[in-house]
Amino acid sequence: MRVVSLLAAVAALLGTASAASFSPVPQPHCSNPRVAYTTFIGQDKNVEMQVSQCADASAPLVDPQGRQVSSLTKRQSSNVCGAACNTFCWTPATGGPSAADCTVIADALLYESQNTGVLFNVSAFGTPTNQITMKYNTCLTYFLNQDATTLTYCRTEWSNLVNWLASDCSASNGARGGLCVASDQRWYVQ
């Protein structure tokens, strides 16, 4: 909710309501993930969830402006639920996920928050389980811990980000998806 409120205020100041006006950033990805385990979540168990580690250097660390960096500094609190993040949309609009597919993931996250618990942990960067990925048809999202310690995040906030990125960073806004990088650089959701 903070992200949406903050972005609404920024949009009002700039006279525009589209996140597509943010500068494009390179799309982080991992070309060689090591999957620790895979399962399916949601009421219908139709959203694939993988817990993994990026085993190569192609998944870059990114700063709050979405730029690649070589290292990050250690921070204090491990609970980052509700922490602010900066959103970036990738342009131009070529492909991209279906908002309806992303809604299935968002709903699965809400279902899990009600049945498993709101909070979840993601281990420290460089460990076998520092990335959690959700996939349904055309939509893929992941939470990547870039910090040196285990982080706690909430499924409800991740659900909100998935829906927000799917709608505001969509082809109708000239984008093909996006990411939200924590203001303190410790994590991001793509």
Side-chain angles (χ1 to χ4, degrees):
M1 292 305 261
R2 290 181 188 168
V3 172
V4 174
S5 299
L6 176 63
L7 288 174
V10 170
L13 288 173
L14 297 174
T16 179
S18 174
S21 62
F22 286 106
S23 301
V25 295
Q27 181 174 347
H29 71 284
C30 179
S31 62
N32 188 21
R34 288 188 187 152
V35 177
Y37 66 89
T38 301
T39 189
F40 288 85
I41 68 160
Q43 185 173 5
D44 298 328
K45 302 290 184 209
N46 58 351
V47 173
E48 180 181 13
M49 182 183 90
Q50 286 188 342
V51 177
S52 62
Q53 170 197 25
C54 189
D56 61 16
S58 67
L61 300 175
V62 292
D63 70 9
Q65 289 71 44
R67 295 181 302 249
Q68 293 182 19
V69 294
S70 60
S71 66
L72 300 172
T73 57
K74 187 175 179 180
R75 308 292 196 265
Q76 289 81 354
S77 175
S78 66
N79 189 334
V80 295
C81 181
C85 62
N86 301 305
T87 303
F88 302 91
C89 297
W90 299 305
T91 57
T94 54
S98 157
D101 289 347
C102 292
T103 297
V104 171
I105 294 175
D107 290 348
L109 284 163
L110 291 176
Y111 178 84
E112 292 301 318
S113 75
Q114 295 167 354
N115 293 282
T116 306
V118 173
L119 300 176
F120 64 94
N121 294 321
V122 183
S123 63
F125 188 77
T127 64
T129 56
N130 73 308
Q131 179 175 318
I132 299 177
T133 304
M134 307 280 176
K135 183 174 188 329
Y136 179 79
N137 289 337
T138 65
C139 188
L140 178 127
T141 180
Y142 64 83
F143 182 99
L144 179 68
N145 181 356
Q146 302 187 122
D147 199 29
T149 60
T150 296
L151 295 178
T152 301
Y153 197 60
C154 43
R155 291 175 177 92
T156 51
E157 289 294 320
W158 192 357
S159 174
N160 290 338
L161 278 175
V162 168
N163 276 329
W164 193 85
L165 288 168
S167 66
D168 218 50
C169 293
S170 65
S172 63
N173 286 325
R176 65 178 188 280
L179 77 160
C180 203
V181 181
S183 298
D184 65 4
Q185 307 175 30
R186 294 167 57 188
W187 56 271
Y188 67 84
V189 170
Q190 176 173 312

